[in-house]
Amino acid sequence: MQRRPRMTGMAGQWLPINEVFYSIQGESTWAGCPCVFVRLTGCPMRCTYCDTEYAFREGAKRGIDELIAEVCSHPCNLVEVTGGEPLAQAGVHELITRLCELGKTVLIETGGSCDIGLCDPRSIVILDVKTPGSGEMDGNLWSNLEKLRPQDEAKFVITDRADYEWSLGVIRKHDLGRRVKAVLMSAVFEQAPGKEIAGCEGLSPRDLAEWMLADNLPANVRMQTQLHKLIWDPQTRGV
């Protein structure tokens, strides 16, 4: 499969930003916490279940100083840098490091096609390992799994039983039950086809829960929901 070219911003000057907003964190072990989200524009992947297709191209150039000022205007210490694919933009590492220097807890939501080894050691990587059902399994940069740190988290979006079994194999092969803070399993929400994504059927959370209960999984493997989609309409932006 031909890969889309990696996009890069002008490091130290500006970043292509889709949106900045203050909301409740809906995923990861940080779910339920107030969080400031910085969503970058652009992504080299086209996952079947992508729910932020609008971030592929929508956005505007914004200076890093301006972004930091907006983040700091909210009464919140938790920040998530997301996308799109945030690590596809070279300048994002300056943003992450400067936020860490301000004492912010910085989460990086990445699809795993870009090298996480460049991320500030104080940041927390949430690595979305692409399953076969995503349609983007070939985009996984497998060396990233060996670069995960004890504070990091690995996420698997499960579309069906085959995805679940495949994910268990990855967890065991890379010893994720021991090496990261948490392994997250999420039942996919139904996603209608878009202009650039295939769309997919939803998976019943009950099915995923029952599969997990039937297996002897490592203690740090947990099921997660997308909490923000339970609070607001799943199509709502800026939440």
Side-chain angles (χ1 to χ4, degrees), residues 10-236:
M10 297 171 60
Q13 297 183 28
W14 55 263
L15 287 169
I17 299 297
N18 177 266
E19 58 185 349
V20 179
F21 59 94
Y22 178 50
S23 186
I24 293 295
Q25 175 60 256
E27 302 185 61
S28 78
T29 63
W30 300 87
C33 299
C35 183
V36 182
F37 294 82
V38 180
R39 186 184 304 284
L40 279 75
T41 300
C43 186
M45 291 187 169
R46 296 295 182 267
C47 299
T48 58
Y49 48 72
C50 179
D51 55 6
T52 52
E53 185 177 8
Y54 59 87
F56 291 166
R57 293 185 176 84
E58 293 180 16
K61 297 177 182 179
R62 296 189 58 183
I64 290 179
D65 288 346
E66 175 191 354
L67 287 171
I68 290 174
E70 181 170 356
V71 169
C72 292
S73 72
H74 297 286
C76 182
N77 197 52
L78 183 65
V79 183
E80 178 168 296
V81 180
T82 184
E85 172 51 64
L87 299 185
Q89 313 293 350
V92 76
H93 293 290
E94 179 179 344
L95 174 65
I96 292 167
T97 292
R98 290 180 61 182
L99 289 170
C100 289
E101 288 173 348
L102 290 170
K104 302 293 185 182
T105 299
V106 182
L107 312 178
I108 305 170
E109 178 82 21
T110 175
S113 63
C114 302
D115 185 6
I116 66 170
L118 302 175
C119 296
D120 191 290
R122 296 166 292 185
S123 65
I124 298 169
V125 171
I126 301 172
L127 180 69
D128 186 350
V129 183
K130 299 304 181 184
T131 61
S134 72
E136 289 286 359
M137 182 180 67
D138 290 343
N140 286 316
L141 183 61
W142 290 107
S143 59
N144 276 335
L145 274 73
E146 305 309 317
K147 297 177 182 179
L148 288 167
R149 306 156 301 180
Q151 74 264 32
D152 295 333
E153 304 181 16
K155 180 176 77 171
F156 296 83
V157 179
I158 310 298
T159 68
D160 55 22
R161 179 75 191 197
D163 268 3
Y164 175 74
E165 297 290 348
W166 180 90
S167 299
L168 293 187
V170 174
I171 292 167
R172 291 165 182 150
K173 178 179 179 180
H174 296 275
D175 197 18
L176 297 181
R178 181 184 61 84
R179 293 181 48 246
V180 296
K181 177 184 178 182
V183 178
L184 312 164
M185 285 193 164
S186 181
V188 71
F189 266 75
E190 181 176 359
Q191 184 67 27
K195 294 180 181 179
E196 300 183 50
I197 59 172
C200 68
E201 296 182 2
L203 175 66
S204 166
R206 176 174 174 175
D207 286 346
L208 178 57
E210 291 178 348
W211 298 340
M212 294 176 68
L213 288 170
D215 290 322
N216 183 26
L217 302 181
N220 71 336
V221 179
R222 63 179 69 189
M223 182 176 173
Q224 72 164 16
T225 61
Q226 291 180 292
L227 180 59
H228 52 291
K229 291 185 177 180
L230 302 177
I231 301 172
W232 295 279
D233 183 276
Q235 303 305 317
T236 305

